Amino acid sequence: MEIFRTICLLLHIAAGFTALVVGVFAFSSPKGGKVHRVSGKIYVMAMLVVAFSSFVLALIRFNPFLFMVGVFTLYMTVSGYRGLAKKQRNQSKKLDWILIVFSAVMAAYMLLKLFTMPGGGLQGFMPVVLVFSLTLFVFIFRDIQIYSGSISMNANKWLLYHIGRISGAYIATFTAFLVTNIETDPVYIAWLLPTVVGSFVIAYFQRKYKLKPRTV
C-alpha cells in the first residue's frame, strides 16, 4: 500500500507541476491558436490527474483538505472544458448532470465527515475545507439553473464561463501548492493572495475575449 501511495504522490506532484507550468502558456497564448489548444488540452489532462490522485491519496490517509481540493479542481476543470465545447456546438447535458450529482455527493459526504468528527472537525485546515465546499455548492447551484433552463446562455456567456471555471481551477491548485509548500507570515497570505491576484487576471481575460452575444 505504501508503494502504491508513493506512486500516486509522485503522479500528483508531477501532474500538479505540469498543470501550473503549462497553464501559463494556455492563459497567455492567443485564444483559438495552436499553442492555446495544445497547452489547454495538456492542462486539462494534468488537472484531471491532480484531481483523481487527490482522491486516492486522501482516502489512503484521510485528508479532508486534499479530498475537497480534488473535488473542487475536478468540477471546475471539467465544467470549464465543457463550457467551451457548448459555446461551439450544442451537446448532450448528460455528462454535465453526472458531474453535478457526483460533485454534490462528494462535497456533502466530506461536510458530513467534518461535522461528525470529534470537536466538529473544524481545526487546522477544516475551516478551509468548509469554504471550498460551500463555494463549490454555489457553482453547482448556478449550473443546475443553467442546465435546467432557468439561466439562458449564449456564445459570449459560455466563453466567460469557460475562462472563469478553468482559471478558478488553476487558482485552487496554485493555492494548495502554496499552503502545503510555503510558510507565510501571517499564514492567511498564502490563502488570499492567489485569489486576489487571480481575480484580476480572470477579469482581464474576460474583458479581452468578450464576444458579441449570439444564442447557442
Side-chain angles (χ1 to χ4, degrees), residues 4-192:
F4 177 68
R5 180 183 178 278
T6 301
I7 293 174
C8 288
L9 181 59
L10 292 175
L11 284 174
H12 181 77
I13 294 173
F17 179 78
T18 300
L20 292 176
V21 173
V22 175
V24 174
F25 292 96
F27 295 137
S28 60
S29 60
K31 303 302 178 281
K34 183 176 180 180
V35 174
H36 178 74
R37 293 197 305 271
V38 174
S39 59
K41 289 179 180 179
I42 296 174
Y43 170 80
V44 169
M45 289 188 290
M47 290 295 270
L48 291 178
V49 174
V50 169
F52 286 111
S53 60
S54 295
F55 297 152
V56 176
L57 291 169
L59 292 176
I60 292 177
R61 292 184 182 177
F62 183 65
N63 187 327
F65 167 70
L66 185 60
F67 186 88
M68 201 57 238
V69 169
V71 176
F72 189 86
T73 299
L74 177 67
Y75 192 84
M76 297 295 281
T77 300
V78 176
S79 63
Y81 184 79
R82 293 282 294 168
L84 180 61
K86 288 182 176 299
K87 182 185 80 68
Q88 297 172 338
R89 58 189 178 277
N90 189 26
Q91 291 191 342
S92 170
K93 300 176 183 178
K94 184 178 180 179
L95 179 59
D96 304 293
W97 283 112
I98 292 175
L99 177 66
I100 287 173
V101 173
F102 172 80
S103 300
V105 170
M106 291 298 99
Y109 163 76
M110 189 50 58
L111 286 177
L112 180 63
K113 290 287 290 185
L114 285 177
F115 288 108
T116 55
M117 288 174 67
L122 296 179
Q123 290 85 30
F125 283 130
M126 298 309 125
V128 179
V129 176
L130 183 61
V131 171
F132 265 101
S133 302
L134 295 178
T135 302
L136 177 62
F137 278 120
V138 171
F139 286 114
I140 288 176
F141 179 71
R142 178 171 175 79
D143 284 350
I144 290 175
Q145 291 180 301
I146 290 174
Y147 293 118
S148 64
S150 299
I151 296 179
S152 61
M153 299 292 286
N154 53 44
N156 178 39
K157 291 181 179 180
W158 279 122
L159 178 61
L160 301 183
Y161 178 102
H162 167 73
I163 293 174
R165 295 300 177 89
I166 292 294
S167 301
Y170 188 92
I171 292 172
T173 301
F174 188 71
T175 301
F177 169 80
L178 282 184
V179 299
T180 54
N181 293 280
I182 299 176
E183 293 185 3
T184 60
D185 186 18
V187 67
Y188 60 76
I189 291 178
W191 287 110
L192 297 180

